[in-house]
Amino acid sequence: RKEVEQDPGPFNVPEGATVAFNCTYSNSASQSFFWYRQDCRKEPKLLMSVYSSGNEDGRFTAQLNRASQYISLLIRDSKLSDSATYLCVVNQGFQKLVFGTGTRLLVSP
Amino acid sequence: DTAVSQTPKYLVTQMGNDKSIKCEQNLGHDTMYWYKQDSKKFLKIMFSYNNKELIINETVPNRFSPKSPDKAHLNLHINSLELGDSAVYFCASSQPFGDMGVSGANVLTFGAGSRLTVL
């Protein structure tokens, strides 16, 4: 089993749609979690951290389910500029952040 | 000013050659990393250095040798390049974080990437 798994997509949605991505992780001792965004041919950039109680940043909502070992990202009112690859990232300790393979999102007019 | 800069941005070379990629960060971070992103876009950690000391070495072939002359620099030298080494190599930096992480300290700042093509 991969350490961090994501559906690669692509998810094709129209502007204004709501879309959700899930990510599962295998190491139950992992304690901190993040979503990064990577645009085509660019470097990954932090989108948001994922807190135990769930957290929201504008149109983006992140949730953590420790019992089932999954993390989710919800994007409301999708914009064309949201088109990117979304990377689920898990801190396994000892300075080691493990990245998922990413989920590609395409938002169309 | 670029926070994490790496050079060269593109590198095309023949199998068997030796090449280096340089990385510098001006964020005052103590920890630096090399990640490899292959053709399937999977981003995998290779090395991590904390204040010039190697702390992560993810079973990378010993043809890859990182060097950290000071905490602001982490260079990657690759000997005897193989076709499978073709990838985008990303340098990153962060503040050190504990085993279970501290909010904010886990944030990686990446360089723009160095695309290596081995022919």
Side-chain angles (χ1 to χ4, degrees):
Chain A
R1 184 183 173 184
K2 287 182 185 171
E3 294 173 294
V4 180
E5 287 200 73
Q6 298 180 249
D7 180 343
F11 283 56
N12 290 286
V13 302
E15 265 186 298
T18 295
V19 62
F21 311 133
N22 286 336
C23 163
T24 58
Y25 59 95
S26 59
N27 186 342
S28 59
S30 301
Q31 289 295 318
S32 52
F33 310 90
F34 311 87
W35 285 100
Y36 276 67
R37 170 191 169 134
Q38 186 173 23
D39 292 293
C40 187
R41 293 185 169 265
K42 298 285 188 182
E43 71 272 25
K45 292 183 179 177
L46 179 70
L47 178 67
M48 60 196 300
S49 301
V50 185
Y51 300 123
S52 297
S53 55
N55 48 299
E56 192 174 301
D57 182 0
R59 298 181 293 109
F60 299 83
T61 301
Q63 296 279 351
L64 169 64
N65 184 320
R66 288 187 186 277
S68 302
Q69 292 180 212
Y70 81 76
I71 308 139
S72 65
L73 177 68
L74 181 79
I75 306 175
R76 289 182 299 280
D77 189 23
S78 299
K79 311 289 184 193
L80 294 176
S81 58
D82 293 335
S83 297
T85 297
Y86 291 84
L87 302 164
C88 175
V89 184
V90 173
N91 175 13
Q92 293 196 336
F94 302 104
Q95 309 285 110
K96 185 178 174 185
L97 292 187
V98 179
F99 284 72
T101 50
T103 298
R104 194 165 165 222
L105 172 66
L106 299 171
V107 181
S108 52
Chain B
D1 274 349
T2 304
V4 181
S5 59
Q6 47 184 118
T7 55
K9 193 171 172 66
Y10 299 98
L11 191 51
V12 180
T13 189
Q14 300 284 339
M15 268 174 50
N17 284 350
D18 304 338
K19 290 293 177 187
S20 292
I21 307 171
K22 295 185 176 181
C23 179
E24 175 182 4
Q25 54 95 4
N26 62 7
L27 297 167
H29 288 164
D30 289 333
T31 307
M32 296 186 71
Y33 311 79
W34 278 108
Y35 278 81
K36 176 181 179 181
Q37 189 167 45
D38 59 26
S39 58
K40 295 182 180 176
K41 307 301 181 188
F42 181 46
L43 195 66
K44 186 170 170 58
I45 190 167
M46 300 173 68
F47 300 103
S48 171
Y49 271 73
N50 186 54
N51 205 4
K52 302 193 295 176
E53 184 180 337
L54 179 68
I55 53 174
I56 294 176
N57 181 341
E58 283 289 301
T59 60
V60 176
N62 58 15
R63 297 183 296 105
F64 291 78
S65 50
K67 281 191 172 51
S68 183
D70 55 62
K71 74 174 193 176
H73 295 83
L74 180 61
N75 303 323
L76 183 65
H77 188 76
I78 315 170
N79 289 327
S80 304
L81 279 156
E82 300 177 357
L83 294 176
D85 297 332
S86 295
V88 180
Y89 292 84
F90 286 100
C91 177
S93 72
S94 75
Q95 290 293 21
F97 45 95
D99 288 356
M100 293 301 110
V102 174
S103 175
N106 292 189
V107 176
L108 295 185
T109 302
F110 283 88
S114 296
R115 183 174 293 272
L116 171 65
T117 302
V118 182
L119 304 175

